Amino acid sequence: MRRALVATALVLAVAATTACGKEGSPPAKGPRTDRLPQYTVATGFKLPGSPTWNKAKKRGHLIVGAKEDQPYLGEKDPASGRYTGFDIEIAKMVAASIGFDPNTTVFKTIASANRETALQNGQIDYYVGTYTINDNRKKLVGFAGPYYLAGQSLLVRSDENDIKGPQDLAGKRVCSAAGSTPYQRIEADYPKADLVAYDAYSVCVDNLLTYQVDAVTTDDAILTGYAAKVPDELKVVGKPFSQEPYGIGVPRSDNALRFAIDDALEANEKNGNWKKAYDATLGLSGVPAPQPPPIDRYPAS
Ligand code: GLU
């Protein structure tokens, strides 16, 4: 019985969010495609030391892992299949810098819990999708970057007054994505929270809108995007309570690819593409462009 109720709520919620939350509300603003940078494809670029790059060259295009339900970061248009957002732009600027036409890049949606396996199995060449660099993950994959610094935060309904920070989560139903650092942090540091996990944050947000959960927790960059789409119904509360440096995931042993992506990020931060891309995507959720964090070119392993 309970299962059936949850299933109905989910179907309703998905319908509600695709209709932008509220009946009669204007369509949410997508990225400003007219303001996106044009990336110049590096000619004659070669990376013979990278097995991943060689495989992609033979194939003729890159395959990049991403998210498809994170507003202004990585979103897939269900009709056209096109991906847009800040992470998608990061993936494209890197593609151009390492000699691929960014418009031929094939994006593949990979959930938080499946990123390491996708990189290890060669399903994708690299991954750009709110992917926090940390030492545990570095045992399994390599990370170029960081290219952005986020922090864990909380999303609640606008009528919520009790939850102002993670200290208020005891006995509350809190939703996050399986395999994510925010999920792991609540589990470890706030064990009194009633934690539930789904593959995707959009499912958590649907559950929040239908009163199945009391809060959604993940990075502020993701949550402000959801809140910006339905500002009457959702709000981000409190101060960020972690540091989530976003990296580009690469196969662990492919140091040549990792360093080439570090170079690409640095060049695009210098030439203004990074800021232009931010302003046309993630900047639309209301946070002005920060300074990108310094690249951490850690030694080859
Ligand atoms: N940045 C966090 C992580 O990598 C949360 C966002 C996500 O799940 O992609 O786990």
Side-chain angles (χ1 to χ4, degrees):
M1 179 62 192
R2 183 136 193 260
R3 259 203 171 169
L5 271 179
V6 172
T8 318
L10 275 180
V11 171
L12 286 175
V14 170
T17 35
T18 38
C20 297
K22 239 168 71 178
E23 229 183 290
S25 64
K29 256 202 295 172
R32 291 293 307 259
T33 38
D34 54 322
R35 294 196 191 155
L36 289 173
Q38 294 295 322
Y39 308 113
T40 315
V41 182
T43 47
F45 183 91
K46 285 215 156 42
L47 202 58
S50 163
T52 314
W53 187 90
N54 283 317
K55 197 171 78 179
K57 264 290 141 172
K58 271 203 199 115
R59 190 195 298 127
H61 62 266
L62 286 162
I63 303 177
V64 175
K67 293 290 183 70
E68 67 171 37
D69 65 337
Q70 299 184 172
Y72 307 114
L73 282 158
E75 270 187 294
K76 183 180 174 181
D77 177 50
S80 66
R82 243 184 96 232
Y83 286 73
T84 54
F86 183 57
D87 281 334
I88 304 305
E89 292 307 310
I90 294 287
K92 287 184 173 177
M93 63 181 77
V94 165
S97 295
I98 63 171
F100 288 88
D101 176 354
N103 299 318
T104 64
T105 304
V106 172
F107 288 97
K108 241 187 190 167
T109 300
I110 310 275
S112 298
N114 303 331
R115 294 182 280 213
E116 290 80 27
T117 351
L119 286 165
Q120 287 169 330
N121 295 347
Q123 270 168 270
I124 51 175
D125 299 320
Y126 54 87
Y127 186 94
V128 195
T130 61
Y131 196 9
T132 295
I133 304 172
N134 67 28
D135 289 344
N136 270 339
R137 289 175 176 168
K138 272 188 187 169
K139 291 177 194 150
L140 305 169
V141 300
F143 284 106
Y147 62 89
Y148 184 79
L149 183 62
Q152 184 169 355
S153 205
L154 296 168
L155 181 74
V156 295
R157 288 179 299 270
S158 27
D159 59 4
E160 170 67 60
N161 295 317
D162 295 344
I163 303 173
K164 297 187 180 71
Q167 69 284 349
D168 303 323
L169 295 178
K172 302 283 184 189
R173 290 160 304 170
V174 184
C175 192
S176 195
S180 70
T181 49
Y183 179 93
Q184 289 157 2
R185 190 165 295 103
I186 298 295
E187 194 177 38
D189 299 350
Y190 303 93
K192 291 198 178 125
D194 182 2
L195 190 57
V196 291
Y198 289 98
D199 274 352
Y201 295 110
S202 51
V203 181
C204 285
V205 174
D206 291 343
N207 277 278
L208 180 63
L209 288 166
T210 52
Y211 291 75
Q212 307 292 316
V213 299
D214 304 305
V216 177
T217 188
T218 185
D219 306 334
D220 49 1
I222 302 173
L223 298 178
T224 47
Y226 285 119
K229 295 238 162 168
V230 278
D232 295 346
E233 296 176 40
L234 299 175
K235 61 183 179 189
V236 178
V237 287
K239 288 205 175 73
F241 50 98
S242 76
Q243 292 217 328
E244 310 288 334
Y246 287 174
I248 298 186
V250 296
R252 186 172 188 272
S253 56
D254 203 333
N255 293 297
L257 180 65
R258 173 158 68 86
F259 292 135
I261 297 180
D262 281 338
D263 291 343
L265 287 171
E266 227 154 48
N268 281 283
E269 286 167 9
K270 274 209 189 97
N271 70 17
N273 282 341
W274 185 98
K275 184 175 183 301
K276 210 172 168 197
Y278 179 94
D279 287 343
T281 56
L282 194 50
L284 299 174
S285 63
V287 183
Q291 272 298 110
I295 303 288
D296 176 18
R297 199 180 288 263
Y298 61 92
S301 53

